[in-house]
Amino acid sequence: MTNDLLIRDEVTKSNSRAGLRCALRGEWTKFWSLRSAGWSVFALALVTYGLCYLSTSALRGHAHTADPIMRVLVGFNFDQFVMGVLGVLFLSSEYSTGQIRSTMAAMPRREIVLAAKAIVVGGVGLVLGEVLSFSTYFLGHFILSGQASQISLSQPGVLRVLTESGIDLAIVGLIGLGIASIFRSLAASLSIFTSIMLVLTVVLFALPGIIVHVMSRYMPANISSTVFASTTPSQLQGTPLFSPLIGLLLLALYAVVLLAVGSWLMTRRDT
């Protein structure tokens, strides 16, 4: 009896590994078949490099600025939003078109489907984010070479900013995917993601000071602002904030909770 249970457990584990590999191949193909995926990557690169060029060119011939790396990576404020929208679209578009039925028929274990989607979104976001952050740094370094605001990897915080900015894009993409796994509807998921990343922060600063003091450090937009800068951004001076690393860990916790709730709901409701 014990041997039968052990054999059954090994078979289950083997099927799960094989199922995840197959699901990953399918989700990777589906991600790049999204019409928005290729255009979004192009838009990310265009906006990131374009804003870097405009922002750093404005520093040429001027006195030293407090945080030039923040000016170099100014486009990442746009990039994280686009990456989150891609995370939403990756799942919600399947619900809106009915393709999710085919996905679940091919892989009935819904938690494996969501895990495969999370690996794809997180992986694409991480690689794309790191490539964009470091390549944008070299563009900014070239433009600011010999200027008062020139930047270098040896400067305090610069390497940290470049590394963590790519991680931030991956996590925000997972947050978008997690929201979509809970709400399914494309319109609802996009509205909630936009509210969390943009509207919530604006509304918060219109509330009494004691609420701002307590809640501001937990806002995803504020966390990302500290990640994209080597010093505290001027608009957040005097506002209680977590360190960039703690903030990233908190963002990751948000993503894990959203995906866990989404996985639980996906296994208990009809598609």
Side-chain angles (χ1 to χ4, degrees):
M1 185 68 176
T2 303
N3 289 336
D4 290 342
L5 290 174
L6 290 173
I7 292 172
R8 191 177 307 162
D9 288 342
E10 288 300 320
V11 170
T12 301
K13 292 177 182 177
S14 177
N15 288 340
S16 296
R17 289 193 294 268
L20 181 59
R21 286 196 297 268
C22 292
L24 275 173
R25 286 195 294 268
E27 296 303 331
W28 176 261
T29 302
K30 277 192 287 185
F31 181 85
W32 292 111
S33 67
L34 283 173
R35 283 181 296 179
S36 55
W39 284 108
S40 295
V41 171
F42 175 76
L44 286 176
L46 183 65
V47 170
T48 305
Y49 297 142
L51 288 178
C52 171
Y53 176 80
L54 294 174
S55 181
T56 52
S57 294
L59 298 177
R60 291 177 62 87
H62 290 75
H64 176 72
T65 186
D67 197 354
I69 191 63
M70 184 174 66
R71 300 287 295 266
V72 169
L73 297 182
V74 64
F76 268 65
N77 295 287
F78 169 82
D79 295 350
Q80 64 167 348
F81 185 77
V82 173
M83 197 65 218
V85 170
L86 271 179
V88 169
L89 288 173
F90 192 31
L91 181 56
S92 287
S93 62
E94 290 197 45
Y95 280 107
S96 63
T97 61
Q99 186 184 357
I100 192 68
R101 297 186 181 89
S102 301
T103 299
M104 297 308 180
M107 174 50 68
R109 296 188 60 184
R110 299 175 188 186
E111 68 275 11
I112 290 184
V113 171
L114 187 58
K117 287 182 179 292
I119 292 172
V120 170
V121 170
V124 170
L126 180 61
V127 173
L128 184 60
E130 297 298 344
V131 169
L132 282 176
S133 64
F134 279 91
S135 59
T136 305
Y137 159 79
F138 286 114
L139 174 61
H141 177 76
F142 173 76
I143 295 172
L144 294 175
S145 179
Q147 301 295 312
S149 295
Q150 63 183 344
I151 54 175
S152 168
L153 290 176
S154 61
Q155 292 174 346
V158 170
L159 188 59
R160 190 273 302 165
V161 170
L162 297 178
T163 304
E164 292 182 357
S165 295
I167 298 173
D168 181 272
L169 285 197
I171 294 175
V172 173
L174 292 175
I175 288 175
L177 179 65
I179 291 172
S181 68
I182 294 173
F183 296 99
R184 298 190 292 185
S185 165
L186 179 58
S189 298
L190 286 175
S191 298
I192 291 168
F193 174 76
T194 303
S195 298
I196 291 174
M197 295 302 298
L198 299 178
V199 180
L200 194 58
T201 304
V202 176
V203 172
L204 176 68
F205 281 97
L207 298 177
I210 188 170
I211 297 178
V212 176
H213 186 83
V214 172
M215 297 300 299
S216 60
R217 70 184 68 187
Y218 298 98
M219 297 295 101
N222 290 347
I223 292 173
S224 294
S225 293
T226 63
V227 169
F228 300 150
S230 60
T231 60
T232 303
S234 58
Q235 72 271 20
L236 296 176
Q237 291 286 346
T239 304
L241 298 168
F242 290 116
S243 68
L245 179 58
I246 298 300
L248 270 184
L249 292 175
L250 183 60
L251 272 186
L253 179 61
Y254 292 163
V256 169
V257 170
L258 289 169
L259 289 169
V261 173
S263 178
W264 183 81
L265 289 173
M266 287 178 69
T267 59
R268 283 163 177 78
R269 65 189 177 193
D270 294 332
T271 59

